[in-house]
């Protein structure tokens, strides 16, 4: 085709040399407007579904069924089937909630904060990271919902005119949480969708069957890529990024208020908001890598998710992990410095009490092992990076468990002390939520464009008229 | 093709440089009703093809409505409709209203951004005259199009097509308005 030759000729003439300070490419050489469109849309439209997809999807469906059984049994019997009691009234459910919602944070950070910071490398990973956010928030929402006990009247927590003439208490962080999480979910969906509209237009134009064309045509709202539309679209994305950045910080801050506004030793601390946000971003980047590394291998996306992305995500994990290590250090210090017996006892209980395994596991998994990320060779090789990411995901779950259970089981009054033992149904709910996440994510990979084609086109070295990159 | 029911004259380009040069040239010749269709956002076109961008004021209005809604709701419920006396603390405890005020501001601003942008774009609109041109499907992948609309006073089937042909276009078509 003569047009393609002209394009590639221009590419050779205008390609920008790599920054000598950062010799890793964001998009591999040889990628053109046509190849990126074909590569991403063929995953959805024409390519055979890989065996990996079927296996993962099948595994996800299995766990999802477990989730359904666990919820059905829970609704029939009540939350007594879990190991929760007084004083450990919060255990797995809230651990899972905080863990899932934290994972979501990296998606918004990549799509919103890095957009404001003009970090163009984020483009190719932002779509699936945002999808991860949405599905993680959906999983997170399940736990407070079912922890209510009578989930079918959950709408009582919302302010609406009702015959009971009762209203929520706006001074309660639990009510703030309802607003924060539902806003976060809505804004994430809108931001994700508005960014996807041009790519859905590409799928519509490249689809061959009438049904597929209609399906993506409806989803794309009839996007036609006019320059006026692009301008409005860019402005909307930028503004959404601007409001999503403080939003993402507010969400985990409000989640941490659920703890820190209570007067319980081990929870009642002003370091909690930054502590929670750092932990959220830490686990979120781990999840981005755990999802991104297999996708890259299975779908051959090495030219779009490059070593540069792995390196940068590794660096961000290292930084947020160090924030977290700092708070682990400062927590016992403030307890000691306060001179408060109850605060000091909580630290003591964490280190040598019945759940001390969780404390030392957290130190090992979140602080010691991730120090491997200092090494370039760990950050740029898939197997070590994937392993460290899995370690961090486990570590962050154990951290939330440690914060919740070790503060509750030894409260002010020794006569009410108790121990928490997880039951089968606690575990079934947790693993079931992972199944729900896998199912949703695999459906996303199958039916929607997982790399934002329009944004990757802007990164190509000849996308700017006259040469250079548009971004 | 007869002139009745014509949408406009479309030219196809294979690279952004030629498109932007052509848009410049078309504007210099005095055309005003023209529009470029590209597979990604090209900043240079924003200057050549001006248009009002009302997204920021819409988002601002949304945010203000959100703040006002949140504050009114919280004040009415906490101080008037369902007052809860917690250790004699004031019913209008505004610092505790800030988190929800912030969340609803963001929620309304974001929703206005999404709905407002679509409305300003005139979307959803499943059909558009240019979709009649089979080549136009490339506009969402790797091709660049420039369209002079028939409502432009300078529009002339012969002359417009001729100027496009001089501008490195790889195809020129007159598209029907159906």
């Amino acid at each position: 085709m003569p047009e393609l030759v002209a394009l590639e000729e221009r590419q050779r003439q205008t390609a920008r040399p790599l920054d000598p300070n950062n010799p890793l490419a964001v998009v591999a050489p040889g990628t053109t407007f046509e190849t990126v469109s074909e590569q991403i849309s063929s995953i959805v439209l024409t390519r055979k579904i890989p065996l990996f997809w079927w296996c993962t999807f099948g595994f996800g469906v299995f766990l999802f069924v477990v989730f359904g059984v666990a919820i059905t049994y829970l609704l029939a019997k009540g939350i007594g089937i879990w190991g929760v009691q007084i004083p450990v009234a919060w255990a797995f459910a809230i651990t899972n909630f905080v863990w899932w919602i934290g994972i979501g944070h990296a998606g918004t950070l990549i799509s919103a904060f890095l957009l404001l910071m003009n970090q163009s490398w984020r483009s190719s990973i932002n779509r699936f990271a945002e999808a991860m956010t949405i599905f993680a928030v959906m999983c997170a929402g399940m736990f407070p919902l079912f922890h209510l006990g009578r989930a079918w009247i959950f709408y009582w927590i919302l302010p609406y005119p009702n015959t009971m003439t009762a209203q929520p208490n706006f001074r309660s962080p639990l009510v703030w949480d309802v607003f924060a999480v539902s806003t976060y979910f809505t804004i994430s969906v809108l931001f994700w969708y508005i960014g996807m509209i041009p790519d859905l237009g590409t799928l519509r134009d490249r689809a061959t069957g009438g049904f597929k064309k209609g399906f993506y045509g409806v989803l794309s709202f009839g996007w036609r890529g006019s320059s006026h539309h692009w301008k409005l679209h860019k402005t909307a994305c930028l503004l959404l990024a601007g409001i999503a950045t403080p939003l993402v910080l507010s969400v985990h801050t409000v989640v941490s208020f659920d703890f820190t506004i209570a007067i319980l030793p081990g929870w009642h601390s002003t370091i909690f908001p930054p502590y929670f946000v750092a932990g959220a971003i830490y686990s979120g980047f781990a999840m981005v890598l755990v999802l991104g590394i297999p996708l890259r291998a299975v779908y051959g996306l090495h030219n779009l998710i490059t070593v540069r992305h792995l390196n940068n995500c590794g660096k961000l994990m290292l930084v947020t992990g160090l924030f977290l290590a700092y708070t682990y250090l400062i927590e016992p210090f403030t307890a000691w410095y306060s001179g408060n017996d109850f605060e000091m006892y909580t630290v003591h209980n964490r280190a040598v009490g019945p759940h001390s395994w969780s404390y030392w596991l957290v130190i090992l998994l979140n602080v010691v092992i991730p120090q491997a990320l200092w090494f370039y060779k760990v950050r740029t090789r898939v197997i070590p990076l994937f392993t460290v990411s899995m370690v961090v995901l486990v570590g962050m779950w154990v951290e939330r468990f440690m914060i919740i259970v070790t503060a509750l089981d030894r409260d002010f009054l020794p006569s009410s002390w108790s121990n928490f033992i997880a039951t089968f149904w606690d575990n079934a709910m947790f693993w079931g939520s992972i199944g729900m996440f896998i199912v949703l994510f695999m459906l996303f990979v199958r039916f929607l464009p997982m790399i934002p084609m329009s944004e990757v086109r802007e990164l190509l070295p000849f996308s700017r008229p006259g040469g250079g990159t548009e971004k | 093709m007869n002139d009745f029911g014509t949408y406009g004259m479309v030219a196809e380009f294979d690279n952004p440089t030629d498109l932007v040069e052509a848009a410049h040239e078309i504007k210099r010749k005095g055309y005003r009703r023209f529009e470029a269709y590209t597979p990604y956002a090209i900043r240079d076109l924003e200057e050549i093809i001006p248009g009002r961008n009302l997204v920021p004021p819409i988002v601002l209005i949304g945010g203000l409505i959100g703040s006002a809604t949140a504050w009114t709701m919280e004040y009415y419920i906490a101080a008037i409709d369902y007052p809860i006396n917690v250790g004699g603390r004031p019913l209008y405890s505004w610092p505790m209203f800030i988190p929800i005020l912030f969340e609803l501001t963001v929620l309304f601003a974001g929703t206005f951004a999404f709905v407002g942008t679509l409305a300003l774009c005139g979307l959803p609109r499943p059909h558009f005259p240019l979709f009649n041109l089979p080549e136009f499907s490339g506009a969402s992948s790797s091709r660049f199009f420039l369209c002079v609309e028939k409502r432009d006073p300078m529009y002339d089937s012969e002359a417009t097509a001729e100027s496009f042909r001089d501008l490195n276009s790889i195809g020129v078509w007159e598209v029907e308005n159906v």
Side-chain angles (χ1 to χ4, degrees):
Chain A
M1 286 198 287
E3 304 88 43
L4 272 182
V5 173
L7 208 63
E8 270 150 18
E9 189 56 39
R10 192 171 294 279
Q11 175 177 12
R12 264 196 299 279
Q13 287 164 5
T14 62
R16 198 172 57 166
L18 289 174
D19 179 0
N21 298 321
N22 199 344
L24 301 170
V26 178
V27 180
T31 311
T32 67
F33 299 129
E34 188 58 31
T35 60
V36 68
S37 310
E38 178 57 24
Q39 188 182 2
I40 303 306
S41 25
S42 69
I43 292 172
V44 176
L45 296 172
T46 49
R47 264 204 260 171
K48 198 170 166 286
I49 302 167
L51 186 64
F52 167 85
W53 189 90
W54 284 112
C55 294
T56 320
F57 185 68
F59 179 65
V61 167
F62 167 71
L63 287 179
F64 196 28
V65 170
V66 172
F67 197 42
V69 171
I71 288 173
T72 311
Y73 189 59
L74 178 82
L75 290 177
K77 299 290 276 190
I79 61 169
I81 62 167
W82 292 346
V84 289
Q85 17 71 2
I86 299 298
V88 192
W90 285 13
F92 262 42
I94 308 300
T95 303
N96 298 340
F97 166 68
V98 180
W99 186 70
W100 274 121
I101 207 141
I103 284 173
H105 279 46
T108 320
L109 198 90
I110 290 172
S111 60
F113 183 67
L114 295 184
L115 176 69
L116 294 183
M117 294 291 118
N118 218 359
Q119 295 292 307
S120 54
W121 62 273
R122 62 172 264 293
S123 295
S124 42
I125 56 172
N126 107 55
R127 175 74 41 73
F128 80 81
E130 270 185 87
M132 171 195 87
T133 296
I134 292 165
F135 305 144
V137 174
M138 286 165 83
C139 292
M142 292 289 141
F143 290 97
L145 180 70
F146 288 106
H147 191 257
L148 289 172
R150 287 181 286 168
W152 51 93
I153 47 171
F154 75 92
Y155 56 86
W156 285 12
I157 55 182
L158 300 171
Y160 70 102
N162 58 71
T163 52
M164 299 171 289
T165 70
Q167 291 293 351
N169 177 8
F170 290 119
R171 296 173 208 126
S172 162
L174 298 176
V175 175
W176 302 347
D177 220 11
V178 174
F179 281 87
V181 173
S182 51
T183 299
Y184 185 43
F185 178 71
T186 313
I187 296 296
S188 300
V189 170
L190 294 180
F191 195 14
W192 179 65
Y193 200 85
I194 201 166
M196 197 154 59
I197 290 173
D199 286 351
L200 291 168
T202 306
L203 289 181
R204 170 201 63 204
D205 291 340
R206 299 181 80 91
T208 41
F211 175 76
K212 281 187 200 167
K213 241 183 163 48
F215 178 72
Y216 291 112
V218 168
L219 289 185
S220 70
F221 294 157
W223 178 263
R224 52 185 188 265
S226 89
S227 60
H228 183 57
H229 289 184
W230 275 119
K231 181 166 66 181
L232 301 177
H233 185 265
K234 280 271 150 194
T235 313
C237 287
L238 205 59
L239 288 171
L240 277 167
I243 59 173
T245 301
L247 176 68
V248 70
L249 299 180
S250 86
V251 173
H252 233 54
T253 300
V254 168
V255 169
S256 82
F257 284 163
D258 291 345
F259 296 86
T260 190
I261 301 242
I263 53 163
L264 216 59
W267 286 5
H268 192 57
S269 159
T270 50
I271 205 166
F272 260 48
Y275 176 17
F276 268 49
V277 172
I281 295 166
Y282 190 38
S283 59
F285 272 102
M287 189 60 120
V288 167
L289 288 169
V290 164
L291 297 171
I293 289 171
L295 283 182
R296 178 177 184 260
V298 171
Y299 290 102
L301 301 172
H302 298 76
N303 56 336
L304 301 174
I305 304 176
T306 62
V307 175
R308 168 97 171 263
H309 295 97
L310 305 182
N311 188 25
N312 285 1
C313 289
K315 282 180 188 168
L316 280 162
M317 265 171 77
L318 182 62
V319 168
T320 45
L322 290 173
F323 287 170
L324 212 57
Y326 170 76
T327 55
Y328 292 157
L329 208 66
I330 225 70
E331 272 208 310
F333 171 77
T334 38
W336 168 76
Y337 194 68
S338 71
N340 181 311
D341 287 342
F342 297 105
E343 287 285 349
M344 284 195 279
Y345 179 72
T346 301
V347 172
H348 175 81
N349 181 44
R350 278 184 180 158
V352 296
H355 288 291
S356 60
W357 59 270
S358 65
Y359 184 76
W360 296 110
L361 203 56
V362 165
I363 300 294
L364 176 72
L365 300 181
N366 286 350
V367 179
V368 179
I369 296 178
Q371 298 311 315
L373 293 170
W374 285 102
F375 297 99
Y376 182 79
K377 284 188 176 169
V378 174
R379 292 199 306 269
T380 51
R381 287 188 189 165
V382 289
I383 291 171
L385 194 60
F386 186 83
T387 314
V388 173
S389 303
M390 285 302 267
V391 163
V392 167
L393 279 178
V394 176
M396 285 308 298
W397 190 90
V398 178
E399 185 218 82
R400 272 67 192 258
F401 178 83
M402 184 270 286
I403 292 172
I404 291 164
V405 172
T406 62
L408 285 169
D409 70 347
R410 297 284 182 272
D411 64 356
F412 297 102
L413 206 60
S415 64
S416 66
W417 286 2
S418 168
N419 202 4
F420 171 77
I421 295 158
T423 65
F424 170 78
W425 295 106
D426 277 312
N427 286 297
M429 281 290 281
F430 172 59
W431 290 99
S433 70
I434 293 180
M436 177 171 148
F437 180 83
I438 294 175
V439 167
L440 290 169
F441 195 80
M442 284 295 126
L443 290 175
F444 159 73
V445 165
R446 172 67 189 85
F447 291 109
L448 293 172
M450 65 173 135
I451 304 269
M453 294 176 264
S454 65
E455 291 190 47
V456 171
R457 289 183 201 118
E458 293 177 19
L459 290 177
L460 299 183
F462 42 92
S463 61
R464 187 167 168 73
T469 60
E470 189 62 33
K471 266 195 181 162
Chain B
M1 197 184 290
N2 85 40
D3 254 8
F4 178 75
T6 300
Y7 178 75
M9 186 70 69
V10 184
E12 181 181 359
F13 301 89
D14 67 353
N15 65 72
T17 313
D18 285 347
L19 171 83
V20 169
E21 276 167 12
H24 260 304
E25 192 56 27
I26 287 290
K27 188 173 185 182
R28 202 187 57 77
K29 286 194 170 154
Y31 290 96
R32 287 297 171 265
R33 295 273 181 187
F34 63 97
E35 183 64 281
Y37 299 87
T38 56
Y40 58 90
I42 294 176
R43 276 172 295 173
D44 292 7
L45 289 171
E46 290 178 12
E47 289 161 27
I48 305 169
I49 307 172
R52 293 217 303 173
N53 187 349
L54 289 175
V55 175
I58 286 178
V59 176
L60 177 69
I61 291 167
L64 292 174
I65 292 176
S67 310
T69 308
W71 185 86
T72 316
M73 176 187 74
E74 292 185 277
Y75 179 75
Y76 174 73
I77 288 178
I80 298 168
D81 186 40
Y82 196 69
I84 305 171
N85 186 337
V86 184
R89 285 176 180 79
L91 292 174
Y92 175 48
S93 46
W94 66 266
M96 305 299 265
F97 296 170
I98 292 174
I100 292 181
L101 190 121
F102 172 75
E103 301 299 340
L104 286 192
T105 306
V106 167
L107 180 65
F108 276 66
T111 312
F112 271 60
F114 185 84
V115 177
T117 305
L118 287 181
L120 290 174
C121 289
L123 300 175
R125 178 177 176 179
H127 186 66
F128 191 70
L130 290 182
F131 292 161
N132 293 323
L133 183 71
E135 285 81 1
F136 189 71
S137 64
S140 63
S141 295
S142 57
R143 294 293 187 274
F144 303 81
F145 289 81
L146 196 62
C147 174
V148 174
E149 291 163 30
K150 186 168 178 281
R151 55 193 174 136
D152 191 299
M154 285 204 32
Y155 186 85
D156 178 277
S157 310
E158 297 299 314
T160 311
E162 202 48 50
S163 21
F164 274 152
R165 283 193 196 97
D166 296 339
L167 289 167
N168 281 340
S169 65
I170 56 172
V172 178
W173 300 270
E174 198 165 44
V175 178
E176 279 182 77
N177 191 4
V178 271

